[in-house]
């Protein structure tokens, strides 16, 4: 099916159909880890949750199931393409307790609401100011409300054994491309002190890093990223097509060997609760 060309507020990884699908694969691999985070943080039936930078809303739909009909999920997102995809999925799934709101976290206010929880995954790396984002999240939560983050803390921890020189060069280029777009891959360490300044108690700061082989679902998370992101970097003229092809070839050869090991880029889970005054 041909993609409908629309003007969109893009981000460095793109917002085309391929990126919508990739975010779905990514969520599938990470869904058990996200669920564990939500349950440990006390998210339950009837809660009102805001999904900050929700993309097409894969996590938002899972959160909506968790909070049930008496609860509500507000998914906020800048890309109109992702918002449209999310609304179409909501209609298809009959998910009446998820609402998508198109907004820019840097310039717009969050939809007013007394939120019990905020979920924010892989967004702080892509905004101009995590301080602005975190202030908005802090102000949106009720006293006792919980803010939950999965953000990268050490992107260069993404390594292979045996090592893959071209792919490791590519990982440096990915980080560079995010920085050139105004973001910061290793953003997670800045989150706890900012939340503490806003009257939050830090409940949990834990790394999430996995050592996997090609048959592991976590490998598919990375392989779908590499395949689509190399095309994106060529499109953005961050690298040449020949070099991208060479990186892909090296990655695919490693993937064909079931014994290859990959250490995933390290994510930090940060959970903090707004103090009751
Ligand atoms: C890597 S995706 C993660 C999406 C989703 N949180 C997930 O875990 O699947 C990053 C998302 O942040 C959104 N984003 C980036 N900058 C934004 C901004 N200034 N305001 C709102 N959303 C933004 C992008 O459009 C994209 O959907």
């Amino acid at each position: 099916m041909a993609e409908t060309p629309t003007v969109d507020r893009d981000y460095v990884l793109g917002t085309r159909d391929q990126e919508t699908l990739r975010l779905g694969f990514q969520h599938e691999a990470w869904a058990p880890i996200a669920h564990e985070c939500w349950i440990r943080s006390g998210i339950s039936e009837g809660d009102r949750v805001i999904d900050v930078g929700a993309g097409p809303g894969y996590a938002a739909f899972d959160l909506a199931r968790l909070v049930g009909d008496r609860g509500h999920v507000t998914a906020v997102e800048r890309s109109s393409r992702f918002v449209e995809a999310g609304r179409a999925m909501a209609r298809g799934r009959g998910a009446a307790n998820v609402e998508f709101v198109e907004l820019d976290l840097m310039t717009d206010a969050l939809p007013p609401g007394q939120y019990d929880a905020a979920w924010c995954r892989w967004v702080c790396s892509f905004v101009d100011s995590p301080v602005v984002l975190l202030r908005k999240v802090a102000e949106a939560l009720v006293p006792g409300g919980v803010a939950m983050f999965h953000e990268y803390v050490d992107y260069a921890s993404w390594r292979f054994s045996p090592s893959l020189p071209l792919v490791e060069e590519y990982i440096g280029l990915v980080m560079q491309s995010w920085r050139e777009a105004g973001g910061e891959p290793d953003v997670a360490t800045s989150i706890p002190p900012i939340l503490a300044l806003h009257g939050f108690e830090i409940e949990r700061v834990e790394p999430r890093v996995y050592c996997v082989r090609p048959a592991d679902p976590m490998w598919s998370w990375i392989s779908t990223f590499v395949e689509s992101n190399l095309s994106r970097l060529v499109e953005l003229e961050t690298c040449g097509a020949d070099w991208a092809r060479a990186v892909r070839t090296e990655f695919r050869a490693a993937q064909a060997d079931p014994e290859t090991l990959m250490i995933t880029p390290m994510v930090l889970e940060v959970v903090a609760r707004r103090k009751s005054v």
Side-chain angles (χ1 to χ4, degrees):
M1 195 176 67
E3 269 186 59
T4 329
T6 56
V7 177
D8 196 18
R9 289 187 285 181
D10 215 346
Y11 81 122
V12 64
L13 301 182
T15 55
R16 300 236 180 92
D17 290 355
Q18 193 185 13
E19 177 63 5
T20 305
L21 288 173
R22 186 194 73 80
L23 290 173
F25 279 120
Q26 178 168 253
H27 178 65
E28 239 171 75
W30 277 80
I33 304 153
H35 273 267
E36 194 200 343
C37 171
W38 301 336
I39 299 299
R40 281 179 77 190
S41 306
I43 309 305
S44 60
E45 220 244 316
D47 281 348
R48 296 148 301 176
V49 184
I50 184 160
D51 185 346
V52 180
Y58 297 106
F61 291 117
D62 286 1
L63 281 162
R65 259 198 306 277
L66 192 58
V67 300
D69 291 342
R70 290 193 312 112
H72 189 79
V73 178
T74 306
V76 301
E77 167 56 45
R78 183 177 62 177
S79 154
S80 56
R81 294 182 67 102
F82 285 164
V83 167
E84 274 167 34
R87 286 182 181 146
M89 276 194 271
R91 284 191 296 274
R93 295 170 185 221
N97 61 344
V98 186
E99 170 198 13
F100 284 85
V101 179
E102 185 179 328
L103 58 76
D104 189 326
L105 290 160
M106 293 297 95
T107 51
D108 300 325
L110 295 182
Q114 299 277 297
Y115 300 102
D116 302 299
W119 168 245
C120 181
R121 180 176 63 180
W122 295 313
V123 181
C124 294
S125 284
F126 301 106
V127 295
D128 293 340
S129 170
V131 173
V132 169
L133 185 155
L134 292 168
R135 178 177 48 75
K136 289 181 183 179
V137 168
E139 289 169 358
L141 290 174
V142 296
V146 67
M148 305 169 289
F149 298 84
H150 276 177
E151 295 286 354
Y152 291 114
V153 65
D154 183 9
Y155 202 82
S157 68
W158 179 10
R159 305 287 292 275
F160 294 83
S161 172
S163 66
L164 303 179
L166 279 178
V167 175
E168 281 165 21
E169 206 180 306
Y170 157 73
I171 291 165
L173 204 62
V174 174
M175 297 175 73
Q176 183 190 316
S177 70
W178 296 8
R179 287 182 177 131
E180 282 171 2
E184 170 51 47
D186 297 340
V187 74
T189 45
S190 62
I191 297 173
I194 299 170
L195 289 176
L197 277 176
H198 285 287
F200 277 66
E201 188 164 344
I202 310 303
E203 288 192 347
R204 191 160 71 246
V205 180
E206 290 176 3
R208 299 280 176 261
V209 62
Y210 304 93
C211 190
V212 299
R213 295 194 194 276
D216 194 287
M218 277 288 173
W219 185 289
S220 312
W221 158 49
I222 293 291
S223 62
T224 50
F225 176 77
V226 170
E227 295 290 345
S228 67
N229 184 249
L230 277 169
S231 309
R232 175 71 174 167
L233 291 182
V234 172
E235 179 190 327
L236 294 175
E237 297 180 354
T238 307
C239 68
D242 289 346
W243 185 80
R245 210 169 297 120
V247 174
R248 203 173 258 131
T249 301
E250 188 185 67
F251 181 79
R252 287 179 184 172
Q255 183 167 260
D257 179 350
E259 295 305 312
T260 301
L261 282 171
M262 173 171 60
I263 297 124
T264 58
M266 193 191 294
V267 166
L268 205 61
E269 177 169 301
V270 179
V271 175
R273 200 166 294 274
R274 187 171 167 194
K275 290 180 193 159
S276 308
V277 273

